[in-house]
Each structure stands twice: as C-alpha cells, then as structure tokens.
Amino acid sequence: MNASIMHKAFGISLQECLDMRCESNKIVLNIQTPSDKLCCPECGSHNVVRNGFTARRFVSVPIGCSKTFVEMKIQRVKCSDCGCIKNEDVDFAKGKRRHTTAFANMVIDLSRFATIQDIAWFLDVSWDMVRNIQMEFLQKEYGSPDLSNLRYISIDEFATHKGQVYKTIVVDLETGRIVFVGDGNGKASLEEFWNKLGDRKNDIKAVCTDLSSAYTGAVTANLPNASLVVDHFHVVKLMNERIDQLRRQLWHAEKDVNKRKVIKGTRWILLRNGNDIFDAKYKTRLDNVLNLNEPLMIAYYLKEDLREIWNQTNKDDAELVLNEWVRQAMDSKIQPLVKMAATLRAYKPYILAWYDYPISNGPTEGINNKIKVLKRQMYGFRNDEFFTLKLYALHDKRLRI
Ligand SMILES: [Zn+2]
C-alpha cells in the first residue's frame, strides 16, 4: 500500500504494508518496519541486528464497514553501538494499547455525537475499550483544571445518581467551566480546592454560594479578601419552600372541606411570579385562596415583595427594603415567615453584597441541566473518576453528554 495512504488513513508512517488479507469479515494489514528504518530505541543508531520478535495485533480504523486489524512483528533489536537489546519503538500506538492512535482519535471524533455503547457497537469493540479511550483523553485534557485567573466563582451542590450522595462543584463564572468537583456538600468537600488554589486565592474577587452555612463558613474562612454573595435564586427558592410549608400547614388545620379544596392545588399559582399571571381564571383562583386565608395572603405578598431587595438602584436602599421586609415578616408571627426573616437577617451582608458584585448561580443553570443528562447516561455506572472527568469536560463539544 502507498506510504502516503498508510500515513493519512492509518496513522502509520514508518512501517510498510507487506500484505492485506481477509479473515472472515475482518481485514488484516500485515506491516513491518523496513530494515533500513529499524533503529535502536535507546540511542537511535541504525547499527542494529534483529534479535527475535513479538507478534502484536492492533485494532485499526476500519476499512469501509469492515473491522480492521494491523498485525506486526515487533522486532527485538541488538544495538552494536550502545549494546542494548530492546523491542523497536512503535509510534502508531501507545504503550501496551491494543488499538492504534488513529483508532483512538476516531473514537474521540465519534464521541461528539454518539454514546459509548453506540461507538462500541459501530466499531465492533468492547464497551471498555471505548470507555478507556475516552478516559485517557479526558485525563489528558481535564485531569487538572486550570485554576489560574479565577476571579468570580460559584459554589453549588448536586445529588449524584447514587441518591442522597452529594457533590460540590466550583464554577468559573467567567468561562462557565467546572473547575473543581468535591465529594459531599460540607466544608470538607472544598478542602482540596483551597489547597490546590494556594496563593491564587488572592485573585478571587467574589464568590456566589447558596444559603448553606457550610459553604459560606468555608468561603469566609479561606477567602477572607473575597466578597461573598448569596445567590438570590436560592433565596427566592427558600421563600417558595416556606410559603409551600405554610400552605400545607393551613390545609391540615382547615376543617371546612370546601375551603380545603380551595387551598389544595394552588401551589403553582402561589409560587408563580405574580406579574406573570395574566390569565383571569388563575387570577381569580389566586384571589380566592388569598381572601380565604389571611396568613397565606400576608405570606404571598411578602413573597412578591422579596424580589424588591434586588430591584433597588443602590445598596443602601436595598438594605432599607430588606430591613422592612424582615420587620413585617417578624411582626406577622407566622412561623415559616419568621424563620425566613431570621435567615435573611443572618445572611444580610451576603445578600446585599450582590450590589457590589451582581453575580449569581444563574449561569450554572445550564450546567445543572447537562449534569442531569450526564447522570441519566451514567446510571448504574460506578466509575467515579470518569464521572468527575466528564463534569470537567461538560463544556467540551468534542464529547457528547
Ligand atoms: Zn543503541
């Protein structure tokens, strides 16, 4: 076979093809290093003599739809210059891999739009071989994420496919990349991250977290110079949880069956952003449930008011709005609202810090959706390292997730 075809199609440039044969529905290329190119792997001298061989077979890129192998007698050479006796170098495959580098590249290309299972089926190789090729690629590209130039980061958690097991992710808010994955969702989950950061801690200007005291505590302890911003989506989400809690309490306490019916099934309307409800039918339902129940009405309007904290033109005004909100919620003496007020008071500086650095976990929303898809794909798949590497590579278009 023409040397240029050998190089372009199979990634083999040093060896020549002695013959090509069919073995049932497979194609086998028999290749060999020509004598004049045989050299010592230690010193590069061509002054070598053959000293036995090992026959090896590599999975190659297919020819058409036929699975193709490259077969080669790897020569053991004795060097007359340096005296070593070693196997000749094979440059079209790595180490002890049973496939060529060209084949690995093809697997990575296919990974853009096909799953491991699809690729394994299409190329007629084992699932493990495809997984290992992807793993090697991921390790090389994403084994140690770049932590330099981190300025704005977010810290968030998600439950893994193993149920109540959590992982913590740190996202670079400027690039949208996951730069760290830690086990668990407590303070300890971030220890390794702080260690890896080292002096680069000083580059970080602001950090966005949810309302977890583990995260806020860890950030203030490890990044004393950075501003901590509590993610406002998480604050709104917590308020929604409180209002739903109240709705359920009221439903249980309500003895009148008809009134119970009005409360039931209003969760969605209560939690919707009030300005988004245009439909008269829903407006009426909302009014009915609110008129029926004073605590729910107070809670609902406080929920609507909460957003005003982030709608002010400056931090001082926002503080006034927040203080007023806390006062009203405390005065209501409605337990879930009092609890919410206590939370707002505790996190006040971090909520208002949004006016210094208007960052949120919003950009990580897309990441969370991709993680969901990844979790489904990796269901029942126990390789934690592979999962972590896939998280680091979430933004990489070269790999389908
Ligand atoms: Zn030598």
Side-chain angles (χ1 to χ4, degrees):
M1 195 189 295
N2 176 301
S4 148
I5 294 178
M6 283 286 283
H7 174 65
K8 282 198 174 127
F10 301 98
I12 298 168
S13 38
L14 202 62
Q15 289 74 21
E16 58 189 4
C17 184
L18 300 179
D19 63 72
M20 232 169 123
R21 64 178 194 275
C22 284
E23 244 177 40
S24 64
N25 55 349
K26 298 181 175 64
I27 296 173
V28 181
L29 302 186
N30 182 16
I31 66 167
Q32 184 188 288
T33 311
S35 298
D36 60 323
K37 290 195 176 143
L38 205 58
C39 67
C40 166
E42 280 296 317
C43 70
S45 161
H46 286 280
N47 199 2
V48 291
V49 286
R50 293 170 194 265
N51 193 300
F53 64 84
T54 321
R56 282 185 69 188
R57 191 177 247 217
F58 305 86
V59 178
S60 154
V61 290
I63 296 177
C65 289
S66 301
K67 188 174 183 181
T68 302
F69 291 99
V70 165
E71 215 173 51
M72 178 176 166
K73 285 177 180 167
I74 315 279
Q75 295 294 330
R76 191 164 56 227
V77 293
K78 185 168 188 290
C79 178
S80 308
D81 286 338
C82 73
C84 80
I85 302 174
K86 276 193 167 168
N87 281 346
E88 63 171 317
D89 273 340
V90 172
D91 65 350
F92 57 83
K94 276 191 202 156
K96 291 197 159 51
R97 309 287 182 287
R98 285 163 49 227
H99 54 79
T100 65
T101 303
F103 179 82
N105 291 340
M106 186 179 210
V107 166
I108 297 303
D109 280 347
L110 289 170
S111 303
R112 199 187 301 245
F113 48 82
T115 63
I116 295 180
Q117 208 167 0
D118 292 338
I119 299 169
W121 172 83
F122 179 68
L123 295 174
D124 191 15
V125 292
S126 71
W127 190 93
D128 281 341
M129 183 181 270
V130 176
R131 200 280 314 271
N132 289 342
I133 288 170
Q134 283 195 0
M135 183 99 159
E136 199 175 318
F137 169 81
L138 289 169
Q139 255 156 355
K140 186 169 153 268
E141 299 277 320
Y142 300 105
S144 45
D146 183 15
L147 298 180
S148 55
N149 303 318
L150 281 183
R151 297 191 303 166
Y152 305 102
I153 57 172
S154 85
I155 300 173
D156 212 346
E157 61 169 28
F158 71 89
T160 70
H161 49 299
K162 287 163 199 161
Q164 293 302 311
V165 183
Y166 288 90
K167 280 196 186 290
T168 295
I169 52 170
V170 180
V171 175
D172 178 347
L173 287 172
E174 290 182 294
T175 62
R177 293 182 179 198
I178 296 177
V179 292
F180 178 77
V181 180
D183 288 326
N185 56 353
K187 212 174 131 196
S189 61
L190 288 164
E191 277 308 319
E192 195 190 334
F193 178 62
W194 308 129
N195 289 339
K196 281 186 174 170
L197 264 184
D199 288 345
R200 289 172 294 195
K201 278 179 182 176
N202 300 323
D203 300 339
I204 296 180
K205 290 189 162 54
V207 186
C208 187
T209 73
D210 60 12
L211 291 153
S212 133
S213 57
Y215 290 157
T216 53
V219 171
T220 44
N222 288 281
L223 302 174
N225 300 324
S227 280
L228 175 61
V229 181
V230 157
D231 179 47
H232 71 270
F233 292 113
H234 277 94
V235 179
V236 172
K237 196 175 142 223
L238 183 67
M239 181 61 200
N240 282 344
E241 282 165 25
R242 294 276 176 261
I243 205 167
D244 198 41
Q245 207 179 348
L246 176 66
R247 185 187 63 87
R248 274 181 280 124
Q249 282 174 6
L250 295 171
W251 185 82
H252 283 293
E254 184 59 68
K255 296 284 175 277
D256 185 325
V257 181
N258 286 326
K259 287 184 178 175
R260 267 192 162 198
K261 270 187 190 156
V262 179
I263 298 175
K264 200 179 162 82
T266 50
R267 180 174 181 274
W268 178 82
I269 315 179
L270 284 171
L271 302 187
R272 270 302 281 270
N273 184 338
N275 297 332
D276 292 345
I277 303 177
F278 299 114
D279 197 314
K281 191 175 78 188
Y282 292 125
K283 265 227 145 46
T284 315
R285 275 183 75 182
L286 178 64
D287 288 342
N288 284 346
V289 71
L290 294 183
N291 287 331
L292 188 73
N293 200 298
E294 206 196 340
L296 206 53
M297 184 187 268
I298 294 170
Y300 177 79
Y301 287 113
L302 276 174
K303 184 210 79 167
E304 290 289 289
D305 278 349
L306 188 69
R307 285 195 302 271
E308 288 306 310
I309 295 174
W310 296 275
N311 276 341
Q312 304 306 308
T313 49
N314 61 66
K315 197 174 174 176
D316 291 341
D317 287 352
E319 185 170 7
L320 295 177
V321 172
L322 191 150
N323 289 343
E324 178 58 18
W325 196 98
V326 169
R327 193 190 60 77
Q328 285 184 25
M330 286 287 181
D331 284 355
S332 76
K333 304 220 163 38
I334 301 165
Q335 188 251 342
L337 298 182
V338 170
K339 244 174 120 178
M340 186 69 198
T343 307
L344 286 199
R345 203 150 57 182
Y347 288 97
K348 185 165 128 181
Y350 310 135
I351 292 171
L352 296 175
W354 182 81
Y355 282 89
D356 303 322
Y357 294 100
I359 54 173
S360 77
N361 284 358
T364 64
E365 202 54 35
I367 291 179
N368 289 335
N369 289 335
K370 283 183 181 171
I371 290 176
K372 271 185 207 155
V373 177
L374 187 62
K375 275 181 351 193
R376 266 205 301 278
Q377 274 178 13
M378 312 259 293
Y379 183 75
F381 185 60
R382 303 277 166 192
N383 190 320
D384 216 37
E385 189 193 355
F386 190 58
F387 185 58
T388 300
L389 286 168
K390 288 281 257 187
L391 288 173
Y392 286 138
L394 267 190
H395 62 279
D396 192 330
K397 302 260 186 313
R398 284 174 293 183
L399 293 166
R400 180 181 184 270
I401 66 113

